[in-house]
Amino acid sequence: MYYPVMLDLRDKKVLFIGGGIETEVKVQRLVDAGARVRLISPFDHPALDALVQDGRLDWQRRAYHYGDLAGFMLCFVHLPDTTLNATIAAEARERGIWLNAVDDSPHCDFILPSIHRQGDLVIAISTSGVAPALAVRIKEHLSAVYGPEYAAFLDVLRSFRSLVKQAYPHSFAERRAAWYRLVDSEALTMLRTGDYVQAQNLLWQALYDTASAVPVDLSLHQQEVV
């Protein structure tokens, strides 16, 4: 049984031993997550050249050697020939480094779910390695339900985090109730139709829909939603 978790990889050292067909996509996602990525691969990955030029990727164009994992917290392996996976896994376990070997679960300490993302909304789907294709189909279904309006909704709600605390500084129960009023409002429907101003107005009303709220100078906080 797997334990689901979201990792903050910002400024963390991650090694990717690559060459497989998904190397470019997987390395790009790690870089986008803020990881300090070193790629070891003697193969051509033209989509990654710009990352090297920008200083966002350390690419050593060679094959793996024992000792390459030293100093890293995570390692990903995606080789065209998987015969080295066992050797790399042995080094990872010797050093206490978490390893993901693509499509090779016996040499994995963790597996990657199928992801549907809309801005800060991240929905991860996993079949625990049994049938990844089913996870992809579920993701496709979710993508039709959770569209770009959810990214916009979270962008707006981010500005309400401090407002909720200011409006209800002494009661966790009131803050929780305020958050449910916000997320249960019709603001999401307004965002789905592109009515950003009305969505924000509905959220202001939901926030202060109780006599116990502490007044806040909204002119210092209210911003146009774009």
Side-chain angles (χ1 to χ4, degrees):
M1 180 179 293
Y2 290 94
Y3 185 84
V5 64
M6 297 288 185
L7 293 177
D8 182 358
L9 292 181
R10 288 174 295 181
D11 220 27
K12 303 296 193 305
K13 296 181 67 177
V14 176
L15 179 66
F16 199 105
I17 302 171
I21 58 174
E22 295 182 350
T23 291
E24 293 180 357
V25 171
K26 292 180 181 296
V27 169
Q28 180 70 63
R29 288 174 180 169
L30 288 167
V31 171
D32 289 344
R36 294 164 56 191
V37 183
R38 173 177 293 171
L39 170 64
I40 294 178
S41 173
F43 302 94
D44 290 332
H45 306 291
L48 300 178
D49 288 335
L51 295 179
V52 177
Q53 294 170 6
D54 293 342
R56 301 173 63 198
L57 175 65
D58 172 15
W59 183 356
Q60 298 190 5
R61 301 174 189 247
R62 58 175 178 81
Y64 158 80
H65 303 299
Y66 178 85
D68 281 335
L69 275 67
F72 291 90
M73 66 166 295
L74 286 178
C75 178
F76 294 82
V77 181
H78 188 32
L79 293 168
D81 181 358
T82 62
T83 55
L84 273 177
N85 285 5
T87 301
I88 298 169
E91 181 183 353
R93 286 159 189 169
E94 176 185 322
R95 298 182 184 276
I97 297 169
W98 290 79
L99 177 73
N100 173 264
V102 176
D103 293 330
D104 187 4
S105 56
H107 295 118
C108 286
D109 296 304
F110 65 98
I111 60 175
L112 300 179
S114 185
I115 297 292
H116 173 60
R117 185 186 299 272
Q118 289 291 354
D120 288 319
L121 176 66
V122 181
I123 303 175
I125 309 102
S126 175
T127 60
S128 299
V130 175
L134 176 60
V136 171
R137 288 292 185 244
I138 294 172
K139 181 185 76 169
E140 292 171 350
H141 170 73
L142 291 174
S143 67
V145 178
Y146 298 95
E149 67 275 8
Y150 280 84
F153 196 27
L154 286 171
D155 282 341
V156 177
L157 289 175
R158 183 182 295 107
S159 65
F160 279 82
R161 291 188 63 83
S162 61
L163 289 174
V164 171
K165 292 179 181 179
Q166 292 176 57
Y168 307 97
H170 305 301
S171 172
F172 171 78
E174 288 182 327
R175 290 194 295 274
R176 180 176 58 188
W179 273 110
Y180 279 112
R181 289 198 305 274
L182 292 173
V183 301
D184 291 338
S185 72
E186 292 298 315
L188 186 60
T189 301
M190 297 297 100
L191 291 170
R192 188 176 286 116
T193 60
D195 195 343
Y196 298 103
V197 173
Q198 180 63 15
Q200 192 174 42
N201 289 336
L202 287 172
L203 291 172
W204 291 123
Q205 294 170 20
L207 176 62
Y208 294 104
D209 189 21
T210 174
S212 62
V214 175
V216 177
D217 185 354
L218 299 184
S219 65
L220 301 176
H221 299 277
Q222 191 165 9
Q223 299 177 354
E224 182 180 1
V225 180
V226 294

